[in-house]
Amino acid sequence: METTRTLGRSGIEVSAVGFGCWAIGGEWQDATGQPLGWGRVDDEESTRAIRRALDLGVTFFDTADVYGTGHSEYVLGRALGRRRDEAVVATKWGNVFDPDSRTLTGGDDSPEHLRRALTDSLRRLGTDHVDLYQLHLADADPERAARLRDACEELVAQGLIRAYGWSTDDPARAAVFAKGPHCTAVQHALNVLTDAPEMLRLCEEADLASVNRSPLAMGLLTGKHSGRRTLEAGDIRSRPPAWLRGFGAGSGADPEWLARVDALRDVLTSDGRTLAQGALAWLWARSPRTVPIPGFRSVAQAEENAGALEKGALTGAQVAEAERILTAR
């Protein structure tokens, strides 16, 4: 398998696996106290993991201004440092937050906020441009989003961003952004447990990259969860919001979801893969446009995720077997 892929119509080449930087932002919350991070983090370990990923050929890093209310961008920018030109950096805007209390306070879909947010992200990242800038309001009004699309075209012309996209699971909304010449990607949920055929069809028709969040199903496809595993209070999975599937409030991983993972274990761990590497391999086989962005918090996780590149995609027969297993359940 090729170890690189192209971000849609932009021509920007990235490693076939990217790294999602949500978890390294640390703890943050919404106004009700709902945790929105993945628990405590060690910034030095995060930095080592990012630099190790670069050494192993990972060039695509996806973050957002709201992750850790700015902290993820800061850590990523510091870790890349003088190696910034080796990386393709994606971030997102649209959320409004208070960094002092690490609290999400709302959203803003105005072009004015877009420019303010980009200025702040560039400062935290320590760079003069963002390679892929993504709207982070999944359910934003399509007509207002069209104004943001046009504003992004102006930012491309000014050299502040190279391309843009929308982080949404709605193909109709993604299609609004796809009308822009420099729209090149849609970020959406996709993994072996949760397919997205309509979104993949749009990516093919509109020449977009499919940037896959939750490629490991929020950790379920790492094999490190059991129904009895206790999650720390600052972990979003300990009190999962409605959109987060596979976990129960205060009860850890859902036994039914774990049973599906167990059923897939043999096919995903074929050819010497770990379970997580098999989940990434399924995504590469699913479409030539997919770029999964698994999260990480340690050097060991970075090495495991990057190691999937050597194993490549699942075969057609292995994908068919995974589908047969899931259909039978």
Side-chain angles (χ1 to χ4, degrees):
M1 175 189 133
E2 295 182 1
T3 57
T4 61
R5 291 196 162 183
T6 302
L7 282 182
R9 63 181 81 150
S10 68
I12 298 172
E13 186 177 272
V14 297
S15 51
V17 64
F19 272 32
C21 299
W22 178 9
I24 65 170
E27 294 181 276
W28 54 295
Q29 62 187 3
D30 70 11
T32 70
Q34 161 75 48
L36 296 173
W38 289 60
R40 292 165 292 180
V41 288
D42 178 340
D43 290 346
E44 294 307 313
E45 180 71 2
S46 299
T47 297
R48 287 190 292 269
I50 291 166
R51 292 174 179 168
R52 180 63 175 145
L54 280 171
D55 292 341
L56 293 171
V58 175
T59 62
F60 185 46
F61 297 88
D62 176 87
T63 184
D65 59 1
V66 76
Y67 293 163
T69 59
H71 192 67
S72 174
E73 288 185 328
Y74 170 76
V75 171
L76 176 60
R78 188 183 68 164
L80 293 176
R82 295 179 180 177
R83 302 180 70 178
R84 166 66 179 94
D85 290 344
E86 298 177 39
V88 173
V89 174
T91 192
K92 311 180 195 74
W93 92 94
N95 290 293
V96 180
F97 51 87
D98 174 18
D100 292 333
S101 63
R102 287 193 166 225
T103 301
L104 170 69
T105 57
D108 189 336
D109 64 358
S110 69
E112 294 76 21
H113 175 71
L114 160 61
R115 289 186 172 275
R116 288 193 301 268
L118 179 58
T119 298
D120 290 342
S121 286
L122 292 174
R123 173 179 49 79
R124 285 187 292 263
L125 288 163
T127 187
D128 62 0
H129 72 281
V130 166
D131 298 292
L132 176 64
Y133 204 35
Q134 302 157 104
L135 176 59
H136 206 181
L137 302 175
D139 298 326
D141 177 79
E143 290 187 15
R144 292 181 65 84
R147 294 172 58 209
L148 297 175
R149 177 195 65 209
D150 296 342
C152 283
E153 287 293 334
E154 295 175 9
L155 295 174
V156 172
Q158 293 166 13
L160 295 174
I161 65 175
R162 294 174 69 191
Y164 59 90
W166 195 339
S167 178
T168 179
D169 291 325
D170 179 12
R173 282 180 166 82
V176 171
F177 258 36
K179 293 177 182 178
H182 292 89
C183 177
T184 197
V186 56
Q187 183 170 145
H188 64 100
L190 180 66
N191 57 60
V192 67
L193 301 174
T194 308
D195 201 359
E198 290 184 22
M199 191 69 86
L200 291 174
R201 191 176 306 116
L202 172 68
C203 289
E204 187 64 36
E205 293 171 352
D207 193 11
L208 302 177
S210 163
V211 178
N212 311 134
R213 68 176 124 81
S214 300
L216 304 180
M218 302 292 282
L220 293 177
L221 287 163
T222 65
K224 297 168 185 173
H225 284 271
S226 71
R228 292 191 287 281
R229 179 179 174 184
T230 302
L231 296 162
E232 63 178 287
D235 190 322
I236 189 172
R237 297 168 296 180
S238 68
R239 289 172 54 195
W243 58 263
L244 202 168
R245 304 169 67 195
F247 290 85
S251 60
D254 186 317
E256 291 186 14
W257 283 68
L258 288 175
R260 295 166 72 192
V261 173
D262 285 340
L264 291 166
R265 189 177 301 274
D266 285 349
V267 66
L268 294 182
T269 57
S270 58
D271 304 316
R273 296 180 178 90
T274 66
L275 187 62
Q277 289 171 344
L280 298 176
W282 180 88
L283 285 162
W284 291 324
R286 181 66 181 85
S287 165
R289 296 183 173 274
T290 55
V291 182
I293 49 169
F296 67 99
R297 280 193 285 182
S298 68
V299 171
Q301 289 172 335
E303 291 175 339
E304 180 179 4
N305 292 339
L309 291 168
E310 299 175 13
K311 306 289 186 181
L314 293 184
T315 65
Q318 289 166 335
V319 171
E321 175 64 8
E323 183 176 2
R324 184 196 66 77
I325 291 168
L326 290 174
T327 302
R329 295 193 62 80

